[in-house]
Amino acid sequence: MIELFVAFGAGLISFLSPCVLPLIPGYISFITGASLNELLEDKKINLIPLILFTLGFSFVFIMFGAAASYLGQVLLQNSQFLRIIAGLVIIVFSLQLIGIINISFLNYEKKIYAKNNNNVWFSFVVGMAFGFGWTPCIGPILGSILVLAATEENINKGILLLFFYS
């Protein structure tokens, strides 16, 4: 039960982080097709696109939790070997991040440009893109919750943790 409060708090901290919070008005304007001033003045706001946007990034995080729980159960059997491999990967990524080594494919970036679409599922897809794009910014917090999900005894608890995080 306490894990659910921890997951919810971690999600709130992630949302309020300086890396994420400034992006929210832009995403809301993009999803609704209205400027922020128009949204603040207009009393009739269509909540469906905003709900679908939220469901989109929640779906991504919940799938991360399900995958972490499943993989955690499977990989626990080989934990000693995997700890060594994980440590080496963390060292390589850290050296890449601080610029000591340069692995070119880790610097690759892909952008997709899309016009605003009136399709109701457009908001869900943009929410999913937001969830994937958000992960580097909230990596340490999300990673902690995913590790917690990976140690749960069944996949449903991992999904529930990430639901509360979302």
Side-chain angles (χ1 to χ4, degrees):
M1 185 65 158
I2 187 124
E3 296 96 356
L4 299 179
F5 288 111
V6 169
F8 181 80
L12 188 60
I13 289 169
S14 295
F15 181 79
L16 297 175
S17 73
C19 184
V20 174
L21 192 58
L23 299 175
I24 301 300
Y27 274 101
I28 291 173
S29 294
F30 183 71
I31 294 298
T32 60
S35 72
L36 195 54
N37 288 337
E38 292 171 343
L39 288 172
L40 294 174
E41 291 173 2
D42 190 12
K43 302 289 184 202
K44 297 177 184 177
I45 298 174
N46 186 1
L47 293 178
I48 305 267
L50 297 175
I51 291 169
L52 287 171
F53 174 78
T54 304
L55 289 175
F57 73 77
S58 295
F59 176 76
V60 169
F61 294 142
I62 290 168
M63 289 301 102
F64 283 166
S69 296
Y70 178 75
L71 289 175
Q73 293 171 7
V74 170
L75 299 177
L76 253 164
Q77 298 165 352
N78 302 315
S79 66
Q80 185 61 30
F81 175 71
L82 292 174
R83 286 180 194 172
I84 294 168
I85 298 297
L88 292 173
V89 168
I90 289 170
I91 290 170
V92 169
F93 283 177
S94 299
L95 293 173
Q96 168 77 14
L97 187 64
I98 61 177
I100 293 177
I101 62 173
N102 185 16
I103 303 171
S104 61
F105 78 88
L106 293 177
N107 296 324
Y108 181 72
E109 176 180 325
K110 178 68 177 163
K111 294 181 181 180
I112 298 173
Y113 297 97
K115 292 187 266 180
N116 195 357
N117 192 336
N118 290 333
N119 185 340
V120 71
W121 293 107
F122 176 73
S123 300
F124 184 79
V125 172
V126 171
M128 287 178 60
F130 181 76
F132 282 114
W134 199 16
T135 54
C137 182
I138 57 161
I141 298 171
L142 178 61
S144 300
I145 299 301
L146 288 173
V147 167
L148 189 59
T151 61
E152 292 296 335
E153 64 237 20
N154 65 43
I155 195 168
N156 293 335
K157 287 191 177 183
I159 290 171
L160 188 62
L161 274 173
L162 272 292
F163 174 78
F164 272 79
Y165 176 81
S166 298

